[in-house]
Every structure is written in structure tokens, then in C-alpha cells.
Amino acid sequence: MLFCSYVFVLLFLPLTAAGYFLLNKWHHKAGKLYLLTASFFFYGYFNPAYLLLLAASLVFNYLTGMLLWKKADRLLLAFGIAVNILLLGYCKYYDFFVENINWIFGTDLVLKNLLLPLGISFFTFQQISYLCDVYHRELAERYSPLTYTLFVTFFPQLVAGPIVLANEMMPQFADERNLKPDEHNLSCGIFVFSLGLAKKMLLADNFAGIADRTFNMAVPMFADSFTGTLAYCLQIYFDFSGYCDMAIGIGLIFNIKLPVNFYAPYLSANIQEFWRKWHITLGRFMSQFVYIPLGGSREGRVRTYINLAVTFLVSGLWHGANWMMILWGALHGTAIVIHRIWSRELKMKMPKLAGTVLTFVFVWLVWIFFRAENAAQAGKVLAGFTDFNAAGFREFTDEYSLNTLGLFVVSAFIIIFLPPANSFASKEFQPKRWHLTTAFILLLSSIFCFNRISPFIYFNF
């Protein structure tokens, strides 16, 4: 079920919230069971077969966690992590590795054409972090199977993040103060949700058509490549930002505060800052479970650079089982290493404005490899930047109107001047009547666009 659909906005969300708080008045376990059932329904709505895999993963990890509570056994922890990684690897990477083995060795191994279970990367990473928290005794208490299952399956973050940690989520589900509706949280949640929905429907999905046109062209020219790649740069920004805002907003409706996952990354003054603001919870996970175990920055400068590069290669592979994603991760890893040498070894500094522009241009152009289906398509789009054809430019301007230019201008204004939507999720923010009026207008405008919805980009990961 998509957040941006009639059934979710008009039926599922209001009925789930109302049922949860009404049942909590009778008994808190009844409310939790209702919310858990709703989360399973939300997940199974995409494909009921996914529920079996999700249930098996939940049972295995909870039982492993129980054993780790009794005895913090390193081998048991390693076994639990290995099972999770093998499950993720089989579902997500089996065909990719078989294809490459066939290509390298000339074999004819059969592809399984596996359908990637939705959100498997997210709920797998969350449960790995849970096992590690139990092993290291990071949790204050042992929570019930019901609370654990809600931590993993809570529907706002189940299929595309943020990647939440047990010690920041399970205490919230166990807190009795969160069982009653809160007017402030409800108002903030609806407002933030409406902002995210508008980003997705009114901005991201409009940019999608412009980007698709360029990447599907046989011979794009400068105007096509420039506009199409910039459109994708903005599409993925508002698509992912919109999802993060909607997840935070829905969480607040249920008095659950999800971690910030996106914080104005296109205003970053360097590539390191960009990765501290883009998919924040993925960066946290990669640092904790890849970079630090590799040695982090503890074993000298050269080893640090290698560890950084490997971490971003893993991040690229996490985003997709293809060479374009690996190249995209490698380019970002290279940029991080260069920035580290520039700032820490050479002690060089760049003016903030110049650094922001340079970082944005780099991220914008590297998104080409993220979006391209193969190297040929990426090369074709990049080659278009060198084709200054006057006739092609006139054809381009005839096809695109002032509405498209206005879309770019409005998006730039939002990115540069407006505060991140998650800043409206704090206790300090006091929503006024005009905030709710704005939310209503944005919700209504977005609902009218539901006839052309597209899945969120991060559903693919």
C-alpha cells in the first residue's frame, strides 16, 4: 500500500489511528495487536507472499535475541548476523552474482529471477542492530514479543526506512503516555505528512516525466541532458525527502518519534556533510557495522581511506545489485577520500558557497549513474552535455513550457530558503490555524494527483 493512494489516506490511516487509540482505552495490548495487524496488512497489501518471509525473519531474530539475553555468546551473534545477511544476499544479489559468474567463466548457471521482497534491506538491518544491542546489553530491559514485532513492522518505516534502532523505538511503544492521542503530535503529524505528500505528488512525480524522457532518448542533446539530469536530481530529492517527512508525520500521529533521516543535503558545503544529511540512518548503520569493524580511522591514514572507500562500495551495492550502483558508490567513496585528504592532510579550506556549489554539481552528475540502467545509457546522457545543437534547443524549448521552468524555480526556492519539514515535528513548534489550512490545501491538491502515482524510488532497495 502506498502512502500516496486513496485507500491509505482516506481509509487505512484514519481507521488505524482511530482503532489504535480506542482499543488502548480498553487495554494497551489490544491497541498494540490492532496496530501490529494493521502493519502486517499494510505490508501484505503489496504481495501477501512477502508476509511469510517477514514472519520467519521476525521469529528467528526474536528467538536468537532471547538466547543472547541468557548468554552473550559471540558465536551465536555471528550466526544470527550471518543468517540475516545470507537471506538478504540470496533474495537481493543471487541473480547479480550468477550473471557475473556466467559472464566471467562462460558458464550457464540458471537465474532464479527472484522478486525482491519489499523492504527486506530495512527490516534485516534493523534486526541485525537489535541482536547487537542485546549482545552488548544496550537495551534497558527485555521487551515482549509484541513490542519487538511492532518495533520491526511499524508500517511508516517498514518498507523504506528510516532504519530505526531498538533502543530508540521499543521504549516508545512501551511508554504508557504514548497510548493516548496527543493534540500537539496529531497536528504536527498531519502537517508534516501533508508537506511530504505534496513533495512526492506535486514535485517529484512531475520531475519524473522530464527525467524519463531524457534517459529514454536515443540521442539527447545539451538541453535534454542538462534538464533531464537536473530533473532526476530534484526528483530523487523530493521523492526521498517526501517519504521521510510522511513517515515522521505518521509516526507522530501515533505518538512515535522516528529519527530524522533527511536534513537539507543539497545545501551541504562538502561531500562529507552531504552524507551526514542524506539517508542519515543508513550512514549510521554503515558506520557502525562496516566502517568501524573494518578499523575505522584507528589504523593509520591509508587504512582509513581504504575503509572509507570500501564502506561506500558496500553502500552502493546495498542500493542495488548492478554495476551502476557500485560505480555510483565508488565515485562517492573517491570523493570522500579526496575531501579527507584536502581538509585533513593538506589543511585546505574552500569558501562555503563554492563548496556548496561544487558538492551539488558533483552529486547531480553522479546521480546519472544511479538512474541509468547500464553504462551505455549513462554514456549517452553524458555525451549529450557536449552536443550544442541549435535546432535541438529550439525543439526542446517548444516542447517545454513556462510551467516546467516554474517547477524548477519553486523547487530551488524550497530547497534553499524553506526549513526542512522535520523541523515542524519538534515540541517547540506550535502549529497555528494557518498551518492546518495549508495542510488541508496540500492534502487536497495531492489527492487530485493520485491518478498518476508512482512508487517511491527507495522501495527498490
Side-chain angles (χ1 to χ4, degrees), residues 271-284:
I271 194 64
Q272 180 172 294
E273 183 182 344
F274 171 82
W275 277 106
R276 287 174 177 168
K277 295 181 174 183
W278 179 281
H279 211 325
I280 297 169
T281 58
L282 175 65
R284 175 177 67 178

Side-chain angles (χ1 to χ4, degrees), residues 247-263:
I248 286 177
I250 297 167
L252 278 177
I253 291 172
F254 292 90
N255 297 323
I256 301 298
K257 189 170 184 179
L258 296 173
V260 174
N261 203 28
F262 192 95
Y263 197 84

Side-chain angles (χ1 to χ4, degrees), residues 10 223 409:
L10 301 180
V409 172

Side-chain angles (χ1 to χ4, degrees), residues 3 126 150-166 168-170 172-173 178 185 189 192-193 242-262 280-281 284 422-423 425-426:
F3 290 167
Q126 285 177 205
L150 263 181
F151 145 66
V152 178
T153 65
F154 186 45
F155 69 90
Q157 49 80 42
L158 177 57
V159 294
I163 301 170
V164 297
L165 303 179
E168 68 188 0
M169 288 293 291
M170 289 204 279
Q172 294 189 71
F173 286 116
N178 292 333
N185 285 343
V192 174
F193 176 81
Y243 183 91
C244 293
D245 294 343
M246 283 186 267
I248 286 177
I250 297 167
L252 278 177
I253 291 172
F254 292 90
N255 297 323
I256 301 298
K257 189 170 184 179
L258 296 173
V260 174
N261 203 28
F262 192 95
I280 297 169
T281 58
R284 175 177 67 178
N422 47 46
S423 64
S426 65

